[in-house]
Coordinates of all heavy atoms in Angstrom, one line a residue:
M236 N 19.4 -68.5 -1.2 CA 19.6 -67.3 -2.0 C 18.3 -66.5 -2.3 O 18.3 -65.3 -2.4 CB 20.3 -67.7 -3.3 CG 20.8 -66.6 -4.2 SD 22.1 -65.7 -3.4 CE 22.4 -64.4 -4.6
S237 N 17.2 -67.3 -2.4 CA 15.9 -66.6 -2.7 C 15.5 -65.6 -1.6 O 15.0 -64.6 -1.9 CB 14.8 -67.7 -2.8 OG 15.1 -68.5 -3.9
Y238 N 15.9 -66.0 -0.3 CA 15.5 -65.0 0.8 C 16.4 -63.8 0.7 O 16.0 -62.7 1.2 CB 15.5 -65.7 2.1 CG 14.3 -66.6 2.3 CD1 14.2 -67.9 2.0 CD2 13.1 -65.9 2.7 CE1 13.1 -68.6 2.1 CE2 11.9 -66.7 2.8 CZ 11.9 -68.0 2.6 OH 10.7 -68.7 2.7
A239 N 17.6 -63.9 0.2 CA 18.5 -62.8 0.0 C 17.9 -61.8 -1.1 O 17.8 -60.6 -0.9 CB 19.9 -63.2 -0.4
F240 N 17.3 -62.4 -2.1 CA 16.6 -61.6 -3.1 C 15.4 -61.0 -2.5 O 15.1 -59.8 -2.8 CB 16.2 -62.5 -4.3 CG 17.3 -62.7 -5.3 CD1 17.8 -64.0 -5.6 CD2 17.8 -61.6 -6.1 CE1 18.8 -64.2 -6.5 CE2 18.8 -61.8 -7.0 CZ 19.3 -63.1 -7.2
L241 N 14.7 -61.7 -1.7 CA 13.5 -61.2 -1.0 C 13.9 -60.0 -0.1 O 13.2 -58.9 -0.1 CB 12.8 -62.2 -0.2 CG 11.4 -61.9 0.4 CD1 10.5 -61.3 -0.7 CD2 10.8 -63.1 1.1
L242 N 14.9 -60.1 0.7 CA 15.4 -59.0 1.5 C 15.8 -57.8 0.7 O 15.5 -56.6 1.0 CB 16.5 -59.5 2.4 CG 16.1 -60.4 3.6 CD1 17.3 -60.9 4.3 CD2 15.1 -59.7 4.5
A243 N 16.5 -58.0 -0.4 CA 16.8 -56.9 -1.3 C 15.6 -56.3 -1.9 O 15.5 -55.0 -2.0 CB 17.7 -57.5 -2.5
A244 N 14.6 -57.1 -2.3 CA 13.4 -56.5 -2.8 C 12.7 -55.6 -1.8 O 12.2 -54.6 -2.1 CB 12.4 -57.7 -3.2
I245 N 12.7 -56.1 -0.5 CA 12.0 -55.3 0.6 C 12.8 -54.0 0.8 O 12.2 -52.9 0.8 CB 12.0 -56.1 1.9 CG1 11.0 -57.3 1.7 CG2 11.6 -55.2 3.0 CD1 11.2 -58.3 2.8
A246 N 14.1 -54.1 0.8 CA 14.9 -52.9 1.0 C 14.7 -51.9 -0.1 O 14.6 -50.7 0.1 CB 16.4 -53.2 1.1
C247 N 14.7 -52.3 -1.3 CA 14.5 -51.4 -2.5 C 13.1 -50.8 -2.5 O 12.9 -49.6 -2.8 CB 14.8 -52.1 -3.8 SG 16.5 -52.5 -4.0
E248 N 12.1 -51.6 -2.1 CA 10.7 -51.1 -2.1 C 10.6 -50.1 -1.0 O 9.9 -49.0 -1.2 CB 9.7 -52.3 -1.8 CG 8.3 -51.9 -1.9 CD 7.7 -51.5 -0.6 OE1 8.2 -51.9 0.4 OE2 6.7 -50.7 -0.6
V249 N 11.2 -50.3 0.2 CA 11.1 -49.3 1.3 C 11.8 -48.0 0.9 O 11.3 -47.0 1.1 CB 11.7 -49.9 2.6 CG1 12.0 -48.9 3.6 CG2 10.8 -51.0 3.1
F250 N 13.0 -48.2 0.2 CA 13.7 -47.0 -0.3 C 12.8 -46.2 -1.2 O 12.7 -45.0 -1.1 CB 15.0 -47.4 -1.0 CG 15.6 -46.3 -1.7 CD1 16.3 -45.3 -1.1 CD2 15.5 -46.2 -3.1 CE1 16.9 -44.2 -1.8 CE2 16.1 -45.2 -3.9 CZ 16.7 -44.2 -3.2
A251 N 12.2 -46.9 -2.2 CA 11.4 -46.2 -3.2 C 10.2 -45.5 -2.6 O 9.9 -44.4 -2.9 CB 11.0 -47.2 -4.3
T252 N 9.5 -46.2 -1.7 CA 8.4 -45.6 -1.0 C 8.8 -44.4 -0.2 O 8.1 -43.4 -0.1 CB 7.6 -46.7 -0.2 OG1 7.3 -47.8 -1.1 CG2 6.4 -46.1 0.5
S253 N 9.9 -44.5 0.4 CA 10.4 -43.4 1.2 C 10.7 -42.2 0.3 O 10.6 -41.0 0.8 CB 11.7 -43.8 2.0 OG 11.5 -44.8 2.9
M254 N 11.0 -42.4 -0.9 CA 11.3 -41.3 -1.8 C 10.1 -40.7 -2.4 O 10.2 -39.6 -3.0 CB 12.2 -41.8 -3.0 CG 13.6 -42.3 -2.6 SD 14.6 -41.0 -2.0 CE 14.7 -39.9 -3.4
L255 N 8.9 -41.3 -2.3 CA 7.7 -40.8 -3.0 C 7.4 -39.4 -2.6 O 7.1 -38.6 -3.5 CB 6.5 -41.7 -2.6 CG 6.3 -42.9 -3.5 CD1 5.1 -43.7 -2.9 CD2 6.0 -42.5 -4.9
K256 N 7.5 -39.0 -1.4 CA 7.1 -37.6 -1.0 C 8.0 -36.6 -1.6 O 7.6 -35.6 -2.0 CB 7.1 -37.5 0.6 CG 6.5 -36.2 1.1 CD 6.4 -36.3 2.6 CE 5.6 -35.0 3.0 NZ 5.3 -35.1 4.4
S257 N 9.3 -36.9 -1.7 CA 10.3 -36.0 -2.2 C 10.2 -35.8 -3.7 O 10.7 -34.9 -4.3 CB 11.7 -36.4 -1.9 OG 12.1 -37.6 -2.5
T258 N 9.4 -36.7 -4.4 CA 9.2 -36.5 -5.9 C 8.2 -35.4 -6.2 O 8.2 -34.9 -7.3 CB 8.7 -37.8 -6.5 OG1 7.3 -38.1 -6.1 CG2 9.6 -39.0 -6.3
E259 N 7.5 -35.0 -5.2 CA 6.4 -34.0 -5.3 C 5.6 -34.3 -6.5 O 5.4 -33.5 -7.4 CB 7.1 -32.6 -5.4 CG 7.8 -32.2 -4.1 CD 8.4 -30.8 -4.1 OE1 8.2 -30.1 -5.0 OE2 9.2 -30.5 -3.1
G260 N 5.0 -35.4 -6.5 CA 4.0 -35.8 -7.6 C 4.8 -36.2 -8.9 O 4.3 -35.9 -9.9
F261 N 6.0 -36.7 -8.7 CA 6.8 -37.0 -9.9 C 7.2 -35.8 -10.7 O 7.4 -35.9 -11.9 CB 6.2 -38.1 -10.8 CG 6.1 -39.4 -10.0 CD1 4.9 -39.9 -9.8 CD2 7.2 -40.1 -9.6 CE1 4.7 -41.2 -9.1 CE2 7.1 -41.3 -9.0 CZ 5.9 -41.8 -8.7
S262 N 7.3 -34.6 -10.1 CA 7.6 -33.4 -10.8 C 9.1 -33.0 -10.6 O 9.6 -32.1 -11.2 CB 6.8 -32.2 -10.3 OG 7.0 -32.0 -8.9
R263 N 9.8 -33.7 -9.7 CA 11.3 -33.5 -9.5 C 12.0 -34.7 -10.0 O 11.8 -35.8 -9.7 CB 11.5 -33.3 -8.0 CG 10.9 -32.1 -7.4 CD 11.2 -31.9 -5.9 NE 12.6 -31.7 -5.7 CZ 13.2 -32.2 -4.7 NH1 12.5 -32.9 -3.7 NH2 14.5 -32.1 -4.5
L264 N 13.0 -34.4 -10.9 CA 13.6 -35.4 -11.7 C 14.4 -36.4 -10.9 O 14.1 -37.6 -11.0 CB 14.6 -34.7 -12.7 CG 15.4 -35.7 -13.6 CD1 14.5 -36.6 -14.4 CD2 16.4 -35.0 -14.4
W265 N 15.4 -36.0 -10.1 CA 16.2 -37.0 -9.5 C 15.5 -37.8 -8.4 O 15.7 -39.0 -8.3 CB 17.5 -36.3 -9.0 CG 18.3 -35.9 -10.2 CD1 18.6 -34.6 -10.5 CD2 18.8 -36.6 -11.2 NE1 19.3 -34.5 -11.7 CE2 19.5 -35.8 -12.1 CE3 18.9 -38.0 -11.5 CZ2 20.1 -36.2 -13.3 CZ3 19.5 -38.5 -12.7 CH2 20.1 -37.6 -13.5
P266 N 14.7 -37.2 -7.6 CA 13.9 -38.1 -6.6 C 13.0 -39.0 -7.4 O 12.8 -40.2 -7.0 CB 13.1 -37.1 -5.8 CG 13.9 -35.8 -5.8 CD 14.5 -35.8 -7.2
T267 N 12.4 -38.6 -8.5 CA 11.6 -39.5 -9.3 C 12.4 -40.6 -9.9 O 12.0 -41.8 -9.9 CB 10.9 -38.7 -10.5 OG1 10.1 -37.7 -9.9 CG2 10.1 -39.6 -11.4
V268 N 13.6 -40.3 -10.4 CA 14.5 -41.4 -11.0 C 14.8 -42.4 -9.9 O 14.8 -43.6 -10.1 CB 15.7 -40.8 -11.6 CG1 16.8 -41.8 -11.9 CG2 15.4 -40.0 -12.9
A269 N 15.2 -41.9 -8.7 CA 15.6 -42.7 -7.6 C 14.4 -43.6 -7.2 O 14.5 -44.8 -6.9 CB 16.0 -41.9 -6.4
C270 N 13.2 -43.0 -7.1 CA 12.0 -43.8 -6.7 C 11.7 -44.9 -7.7 O 11.5 -46.0 -7.3 CB 10.8 -42.8 -6.6 SG 9.3 -43.6 -6.1
L271 N 11.6 -44.5 -9.0 CA 11.3 -45.5 -10.0 C 12.4 -46.6 -10.1 O 12.0 -47.8 -10.3 CB 11.0 -44.8 -11.3 CG 9.8 -43.9 -11.3 CD1 9.7 -43.2 -12.7 CD2 8.5 -44.6 -11.0
T272 N 13.6 -46.2 -9.9 CA 14.7 -47.2 -9.9 C 14.5 -48.2 -8.8 O 14.7 -49.4 -8.9 CB 16.1 -46.5 -9.9 OG1 16.2 -45.7 -11.0 CG2 17.2 -47.5 -9.9
G273 N 14.2 -47.6 -7.6 CA 14.0 -48.5 -6.4 C 12.9 -49.5 -6.6 O 13.0 -50.7 -6.3
Y274 N 11.8 -49.0 -7.2 CA 10.7 -50.0 -7.5 C 11.0 -51.0 -8.5 O 10.7 -52.2 -8.4 CB 9.4 -49.2 -7.9 CG 8.6 -48.6 -6.8 CD1 8.3 -47.2 -6.8 CD2 8.3 -49.3 -5.6 CE1 7.6 -46.6 -5.7 CE2 7.6 -48.7 -4.6 CZ 7.2 -47.4 -4.7 OH 6.6 -46.8 -3.6
T275 N 11.8 -50.6 -9.6 CA 12.2 -51.5 -10.6 C 13.1 -52.6 -10.1 O 12.8 -53.8 -10.3 CB 12.9 -50.8 -11.8 OG1 12.0 -49.8 -12.3 CG2 13.4 -51.7 -12.8
V276 N 14.1 -52.2 -9.3 CA 15.0 -53.2 -8.7 C 14.2 -54.1 -7.7 O 14.5 -55.3 -7.7 CB 16.2 -52.5 -8.1 CG1 17.1 -53.5 -7.3 CG2 17.0 -51.7 -9.1
S277 N 13.3 -53.5 -7.0 CA 12.5 -54.3 -6.1 C 11.7 -55.4 -6.8 O 11.8 -56.6 -6.4 CB 11.5 -53.4 -5.3 OG 10.7 -54.2 -4.4
F278 N 11.1 -55.1 -7.9 CA 10.3 -56.1 -8.6 C 11.2 -57.1 -9.3 O 10.9 -58.3 -9.4 CB 9.3 -55.4 -9.6 CG 8.1 -54.9 -9.0 CD1 7.9 -53.6 -8.8 CD2 7.1 -55.8 -8.5 CE1 6.7 -53.1 -8.2 CE2 6.0 -55.3 -7.9 CZ 5.8 -54.0 -7.8
L279 N 12.4 -56.7 -9.7 CA 13.3 -57.6 -10.3 C 13.8 -58.6 -9.3 O 13.8 -59.8 -9.5 CB 14.5 -56.9 -10.9 CG 14.2 -56.1 -12.2 CD1 15.4 -55.3 -12.6 CD2 13.9 -57.1 -13.3
A280 N 14.1 -58.1 -8.1 CA 14.6 -59.0 -7.0 C 13.4 -59.9 -6.5 O 13.6 -61.1 -6.3 CB 15.1 -58.2 -5.8
L281 N 12.2 -59.4 -6.4 CA 11.1 -60.2 -6.0 C 10.8 -61.3 -7.1 O 10.5 -62.4 -6.7 CB 9.8 -59.3 -5.9 CG 8.6 -59.9 -5.3 CD1 8.8 -60.5 -3.9 CD2 7.4 -58.9 -5.3
S282 N 11.0 -61.0 -8.3 CA 10.7 -62.0 -9.4 C 11.7 -63.1 -9.2 O 11.4 -64.3 -9.6 CB 10.8 -61.4 -10.8 OG 12.1 -61.0 -11.1
Q283 N 12.9 -62.8 -8.8 CA 13.9 -63.9 -8.6 C 13.6 -64.7 -7.3 O 13.8 -65.9 -7.3 CB 15.3 -63.3 -8.4 CG 15.8 -62.6 -9.7 CD 15.9 -63.6 -10.9 OE1 16.4 -64.6 -10.8 NE2 15.2 -63.2 -12.0
A284 N 13.1 -64.0 -6.3 CA 12.8 -64.7 -5.0 C 11.7 -65.7 -5.2 O 11.7 -66.8 -4.7 CB 12.4 -63.7 -4.0
V285 N 10.7 -65.4 -6.0 CA 9.5 -66.3 -6.2 C 9.8 -67.5 -7.1 O 9.0 -68.4 -7.2 CB 8.2 -65.5 -6.7 CG1 7.8 -64.5 -5.7 CG2 8.4 -65.0 -8.1
K286 N 11.0 -67.6 -7.5 CA 11.4 -68.8 -8.2 C 11.5 -70.0 -7.3 O 11.3 -71.1 -7.7 CB 12.8 -68.6 -8.9 CG 12.8 -67.8 -10.2 CD 14.1 -67.7 -10.8 CE 14.1 -66.9 -12.0 NZ 15.4 -66.7 -12.6
E287 N 11.8 -69.7 -6.0 CA 11.9 -70.8 -5.0 C 10.9 -70.6 -3.8 O 10.6 -71.6 -3.2 CB 13.3 -70.9 -4.5 CG 14.3 -71.4 -5.6 CD 15.7 -71.6 -5.1 OE1 15.9 -71.8 -3.9 OE2 16.6 -71.5 -5.9
V288 N 10.6 -69.4 -3.5 CA 9.7 -69.1 -2.4 C 8.3 -69.0 -3.0 O 8.0 -68.3 -4.0 CB 10.0 -67.7 -1.7 CG1 9.1 -67.4 -0.6 CG2 11.5 -67.8 -1.2
P289 N 7.3 -69.7 -2.4 CA 5.9 -69.6 -2.9 C 5.5 -68.1 -3.0 O 5.8 -67.3 -2.1 CB 5.1 -70.3 -1.8 CG 6.0 -71.2 -1.2 CD 7.3 -70.5 -1.2
V290 N 4.8 -67.8 -4.1 CA 4.5 -66.4 -4.3 C 3.7 -65.7 -3.2 O 3.9 -64.6 -2.9 CB 3.8 -66.2 -5.7 CG1 2.4 -66.8 -5.8 CG2 3.9 -64.7 -6.2
G291 N 2.7 -66.4 -2.7 CA 1.9 -65.9 -1.6 C 2.7 -65.6 -0.4 O 2.5 -64.5 0.3
V292 N 3.6 -66.4 0.0 CA 4.5 -66.2 1.1 C 5.4 -65.1 0.9 O 5.6 -64.2 1.7 CB 5.2 -67.5 1.5 CG1 6.3 -67.3 2.6 CG2 4.3 -68.6 1.9
A293 N 6.1 -65.1 -0.3 CA 7.0 -64.0 -0.7 C 6.3 -62.7 -0.6 O 6.9 -61.7 -0.1 CB 7.6 -64.3 -2.0
Y294 N 5.1 -62.6 -1.2 CA 4.4 -61.3 -1.3 C 4.0 -60.9 0.1 O 4.1 -59.7 0.4 CB 3.2 -61.4 -2.2 CG 2.6 -60.0 -2.5 CD1 3.2 -59.1 -3.3 CD2 1.5 -59.7 -1.8 CE1 2.7 -57.9 -3.5 CE2 0.9 -58.4 -2.0 CZ 1.5 -57.5 -2.9 OH 1.0 -56.3 -3.1
A295 N 3.6 -61.8 0.9 CA 3.2 -61.4 2.3 C 4.4 -60.9 3.1 O 4.2 -59.9 3.8 CB 2.6 -62.7 3.0
I296 N 5.5 -61.5 2.9 CA 6.7 -61.0 3.6 C 7.1 -59.7 3.0 O 7.4 -58.7 3.8 CB 7.9 -62.0 3.5 CG1 7.5 -63.3 4.3 CG2 9.2 -61.4 4.0 CD1 8.5 -64.4 4.0
W297 N 7.1 -59.5 1.7 CA 7.5 -58.3 1.0 C 6.6 -57.1 1.4 O 7.1 -56.1 1.8 CB 7.5 -58.6 -0.5 CG 7.9 -57.4 -1.3 CD1 9.1 -57.0 -1.6 CD2 7.0 -56.6 -2.1 NE1 9.1 -55.9 -2.5 CE2 7.8 -55.7 -2.8 CE3 5.6 -56.5 -2.3 CZ2 7.2 -54.7 -3.7 CZ3 5.1 -55.6 -3.1 CH2 5.9 -54.7 -3.8
S298 N 5.4 -57.3 1.3 CA 4.4 -56.2 1.6 C 4.3 -56.0 3.1 O 4.3 -54.8 3.6 CB 3.0 -56.5 1.0 OG 2.5 -57.7 1.6
G299 N 4.3 -57.0 3.9 CA 4.2 -56.9 5.4 C 5.4 -56.2 6.0 O 5.2 -55.2 6.8
L300 N 6.6 -56.7 5.7 CA 7.8 -56.0 6.3 C 8.0 -54.6 5.7 O 8.4 -53.7 6.4 CB 9.0 -56.9 6.1 CG 9.0 -58.2 6.8 CD1 10.3 -59.0 6.6 CD2 8.9 -58.0 8.3
G301 N 7.7 -54.5 4.4 CA 7.7 -53.1 3.8 C 6.8 -52.2 4.5 O 7.2 -51.0 4.8
T302 N 5.6 -52.6 4.7 CA 4.6 -51.7 5.4 C 5.1 -51.3 6.8 O 5.1 -50.2 7.2 CB 3.2 -52.4 5.5 OG1 2.8 -52.7 4.2 CG2 2.2 -51.5 6.2
A303 N 5.6 -52.3 7.6 CA 6.1 -52.1 8.9 C 7.2 -51.1 8.9 O 7.3 -50.2 9.7 CB 6.4 -53.4 9.6
A304 N 8.1 -51.3 7.9 CA 9.3 -50.4 7.8 C 8.9 -49.0 7.5 O 9.5 -48.0 8.0 CB 10.3 -51.0 6.8
I305 N 8.0 -48.8 6.6 CA 7.5 -47.5 6.2 C 6.8 -46.8 7.3 O 7.0 -45.6 7.5 CB 6.6 -47.6 4.9 CG1 7.5 -48.0 3.7 CG2 5.9 -46.3 4.7 CD1 8.6 -47.0 3.4
V306 N 6.1 -47.5 8.1 CA 5.5 -46.9 9.3 C 6.5 -46.4 10.2 O 6.5 -45.2 10.8 CB 4.5 -47.8 10.0 CG1 4.1 -47.3 11.4 CG2 3.3 -48.1 9.1
A307 N 7.6 -47.2 10.5 CA 8.7 -46.8 11.3 C 9.4 -45.6 10.8 O 9.8 -44.7 11.5 CB 9.6 -48.0 11.6
I308 N 9.7 -45.6 9.5 CA 10.4 -44.5 8.8 C 9.6 -43.2 8.9 O 10.1 -42.1 9.2 CB 10.8 -44.9 7.4 CG1 11.9 -45.9 7.4 CG2 11.2 -43.6 6.6 CD1 12.2 -46.5 6.1
G309 N 8.3 -43.4 8.7 CA 7.4 -42.2 8.8 C 7.4 -41.6 10.1 O 7.4 -40.4 10.3
A310 N 7.4 -42.4 11.2 CA 7.4 -41.9 12.5 C 8.8 -41.3 12.9 O 8.9 -40.3 13.5 CB 7.1 -43.1 13.5
A311 N 9.9 -42.0 12.5 CA 11.2 -41.5 12.8 C 11.7 -40.3 12.1 O 12.3 -39.4 12.6 CB 12.2 -42.7 12.6
F312 N 11.4 -40.2 10.8 CA 11.9 -39.2 10.0 C 11.0 -38.2 9.4 O 11.4 -37.1 8.9 CB 12.8 -39.8 8.8 CG 13.9 -40.7 9.3 CD1 13.8 -42.1 9.2 CD2 15.0 -40.2 9.9 CE1 14.8 -42.9 9.7 CE2 16.0 -41.0 10.4 CZ 15.9 -42.3 10.3
L313 N 9.7 -38.5 9.3 CA 8.7 -37.7 8.6 C 7.7 -37.1 9.6 O 6.8 -36.4 9.2 CB 8.0 -38.4 7.5 CG 8.9 -39.0 6.4 CD1 8.0 -39.9 5.5 CD2 9.6 -37.9 5.7
G314 N 7.9 -37.3 10.9 CA 7.1 -36.7 11.9 C 5.7 -37.3 12.0 O 4.8 -36.6 12.5
E315 N 5.4 -38.4 11.4 CA 4.1 -39.0 11.5 C 3.9 -39.7 12.8 O 4.8 -40.3 13.4 CB 4.0 -40.1 10.4 CG 4.1 -39.5 9.0 CD 4.0 -40.5 7.9 OE1 3.8 -41.7 8.2 OE2 4.1 -40.1 6.7
P316 N 2.7 -39.5 13.4 CA 2.4 -40.0 14.7 C 2.3 -41.5 14.8 O 1.8 -42.1 13.8 CB 1.1 -39.3 15.1 CG 0.4 -39.0 13.8 CD 1.5 -38.8 12.8
I317 N 2.8 -42.1 15.8 CA 2.5 -43.5 16.1 C 1.4 -43.6 17.1 O 1.5 -43.1 18.2 CB 3.8 -44.2 16.7 CG1 4.9 -44.3 15.6 CG2 3.5 -45.6 17.3 CD1 4.6 -45.4 14.6
T318 N 0.3 -44.3 16.7 CA -0.8 -44.4 17.6 C -1.0 -45.9 17.9 O -0.4 -46.8 17.3 CB -2.1 -44.0 16.9 OG1 -2.4 -44.8 15.7 CG2 -2.0 -42.5 16.4
L319 N -1.8 -46.1 18.9 CA -2.0 -47.5 19.4 C -2.7 -48.3 18.2 O -2.4 -49.5 18.0 CB -2.9 -47.5 20.6 CG -3.2 -48.9 21.2 CD1 -1.9 -49.6 21.6 CD2 -4.1 -48.8 22.4
I320 N -3.5 -47.7 17.4 CA -4.2 -48.3 16.3 C -3.1 -48.7 15.3 O -3.2 -49.8 14.7 CB -5.2 -47.4 15.7 CG1 -6.4 -47.1 16.7 CG2 -5.8 -48.0 14.4 CD1 -7.2 -48.3 17.1
K321 N -2.2 -47.8 15.0 CA -1.1 -48.2 14.0 C -0.3 -49.4 14.5 O 0.0 -50.3 13.8 CB -0.2 -47.0 13.8 CG -0.8 -46.0 12.8 CD 0.2 -44.9 12.5 CE -0.3 -43.8 11.6 NZ 0.6 -42.8 11.3
V322 N 0.1 -49.3 15.8 CA 0.8 -50.4 16.4 C 0.1 -51.7 16.3 O 0.6 -52.8 15.9 CB 1.2 -50.1 17.8 CG1 1.9 -51.3 18.5 CG2 2.2 -48.9 17.9
A323 N -1.2 -51.7 16.6 CA -2.1 -52.9 16.5 C -2.1 -53.4 15.0 O -2.1 -54.6 14.8 CB -3.5 -52.6 17.0
G324 N -2.3 -52.5 14.1 CA -2.3 -52.8 12.7 C -1.1 -53.5 12.2 O -1.1 -54.5 11.5
I325 N 0.1 -53.0 12.6 CA 1.4 -53.6 12.2 C 1.5 -54.9 12.9 O 2.0 -55.9 12.3 CB 2.5 -52.7 12.7 CG1 2.5 -51.4 11.8 CG2 3.9 -53.4 12.5 CD1 2.6 -51.6 10.3
G326 N 1.0 -55.1 14.1 CA 1.1 -56.4 14.8 C 0.2 -57.4 14.1 O 0.7 -58.6 13.9
L327 N -0.9 -57.0 13.6 CA -1.8 -57.9 12.8 C -1.1 -58.3 11.5 O -1.2 -59.4 11.0 CB -3.1 -57.3 12.5 CG -4.0 -57.2 13.8 CD1 -5.3 -56.3 13.5 CD2 -4.5 -58.5 14.3
I328 N -0.4 -57.3 10.8 CA 0.2 -57.6 9.6 C 1.4 -58.6 9.8 O 1.5 -59.6 9.1 CB 0.8 -56.3 8.9 CG1 -0.3 -55.5 8.4 CG2 1.8 -56.7 7.8 CD1 0.1 -54.1 8.0
V329 N 2.1 -58.4 10.9 CA 3.2 -59.3 11.2 C 2.7 -60.7 11.5 O 3.2 -61.7 11.1 CB 4.1 -58.8 12.3 CG1 5.1 -59.8 12.8 CG2 4.9 -57.5 11.9
A330 N 1.6 -60.7 12.3 CA 1.0 -62.0 12.6 C 0.5 -62.7 11.4 O 0.7 -64.0 11.2 CB -0.2 -61.8 13.6
G331 N -0.1 -62.0 10.4 CA -0.5 -62.6 9.2 C 0.6 -63.2 8.4 O 0.5 -64.3 7.8
V332 N 1.8 -62.5 8.3 CA 2.9 -63.0 7.6 C 3.4 -64.3 8.3 O 3.8 -65.3 7.6 CB 4.1 -61.9 7.6 CG1 5.4 -62.5 7.1 CG2 3.6 -60.7 6.7
V333 N 3.5 -64.3 9.6 CA 3.9 -65.5 10.3 C 3.0 -66.7 10.0 O 3.4 -67.8 9.8 CB 4.0 -65.2 11.9 CG1 4.2 -66.5 12.6 CG2 5.1 -64.2 12.2
I334 N 1.7 -66.4 10.1 CA 0.7 -67.5 9.8 C 0.9 -68.0 8.4 O 0.9 -69.2 8.2 CB -0.7 -67.0 10.1 CG1 -0.9 -66.8 11.6 CG2 -1.7 -68.0 9.5 CD1 -2.2 -66.0 11.9
L335 N 1.1 -67.1 7.4 CA 1.3 -67.6 6.1 C 2.5 -68.4 5.9 O 2.6 -69.4 5.1 CB 1.3 -66.4 5.1 CG -0.1 -65.8 4.7 CD1 0.1 -64.5 3.9 CD2 -0.9 -66.8 3.9
N336 N 3.6 -68.0 6.6 CA 4.8 -68.7 6.5 C 4.7 -70.1 7.2 O 5.2 -71.1 6.6 CB 6.0 -68.0 7.2 CG 6.6 -67.0 6.3 OD1 7.1 -67.4 5.3 ND2 6.6 -65.8 6.7
V337 N 4.0 -70.2 8.3 CA 3.8 -71.5 8.9 C 2.9 -72.4 8.0 O 3.2 -73.6 7.8 CB 3.2 -71.3 10.3 CG1 2.7 -72.7 10.9 CG2 4.2 -70.7 11.2
G338 N 1.9 -71.8 7.5 CA 1.0 -72.5 6.6 C 1.7 -72.9 5.3 O 1.4 -74.0 4.7
G339 N 2.5 -72.0 4.8 CA 3.2 -72.3 3.5 C 4.3 -73.4 3.7 O 4.5 -74.2 2.8
A340 N 4.9 -73.5 4.9 CA 5.9 -74.5 5.1 C 5.2 -75.9 5.2 O 5.8 -76.9 5.0 CB 6.6 -74.2 6.4
A341 N 3.9 -76.0 5.6 CA 3.3 -77.2 5.8 C 2.9 -77.9 4.5 O 2.6 -79.1 4.5 CB 2.0 -77.0 6.7
H342 N 2.9 -77.2 3.4 CA 2.4 -77.8 2.1 C 3.6 -78.2 1.3 O 4.5 -77.7 1.0 CB 1.5 -76.8 1.4 CG 0.3 -76.5 2.1 ND1 -0.7 -77.4 2.3 CD2 -0.2 -75.4 2.8 CE1 -1.7 -76.9 3.0 NE2 -1.4 -75.7 3.3

C-alpha cells in the first residue's frame, strides 16, 4: 500500500508542477487553488508512504520520477526542447533512483 501512496504522491506533484505556469505567479485564483491542492495532497500521500518505505528511497523515487515526468510534459505540451543533455540528465536521475533502491533493499 505504501507504494500506492508513493505513486499518488508523484501524480499529484506532477499535476501541481504542471499547473505552476498557468497560475501566472499565483495571481490566477483557480489554477493557484489547483496547484496548491496538488502539492498538499502530494505531501500527505508522501507522508503516508514513508511510514513503510525508507524516506531516502521514497524521496528519490518521488523527486526523480516527478522530474522525469515534468521534462516529458514540458516537451510534449509546453513546447520545451528535448536536448541530449536533458536526456542524459534524466538518465542519471533514473540511475540514481535505481541505485538508491538497490542500496535501500540491502539494509
Side-chain angles (χ1 to χ4, degrees):
M236 188 68 180
S237 293
Y238 282 96
F240 278 117
L241 186 55
L242 289 175
I245 292 165
C247 290
E248 188 270 334
V249 167
F250 167 77
T252 302
S253 297
M254 294 297 298
L255 273 175
K256 191 170 187 173
S257 66
T258 69
E259 295 180 11
F261 296 113
S262 65
R263 294 182 59 217
L264 177 62
W265 295 115
T267 297
V268 168
C270 178
L271 295 177
T272 299
Y274 282 128
T275 299
V276 174
S277 177
F278 280 108
L279 288 171
L281 185 60
S282 73
Q283 294 302 306
V285 298
K286 287 181 177 179
E287 294 183 26
V288 179
V290 70
V292 171
Y294 189 76
I296 294 169
W297 180 77
S298 61
L300 292 181
T302 300
I305 289 300
V306 169
I308 288 168
F312 301 108
L313 302 175
E315 296 176 3
I317 288 287
T318 64
L319 185 58
I320 296 296
K321 282 185 180 180
V322 172
I325 294 300
L327 290 170
I328 290 168
V329 171
V332 169
V333 169
I334 290 168
L335 281 172
N336 274 301
V337 170
H342 296 292

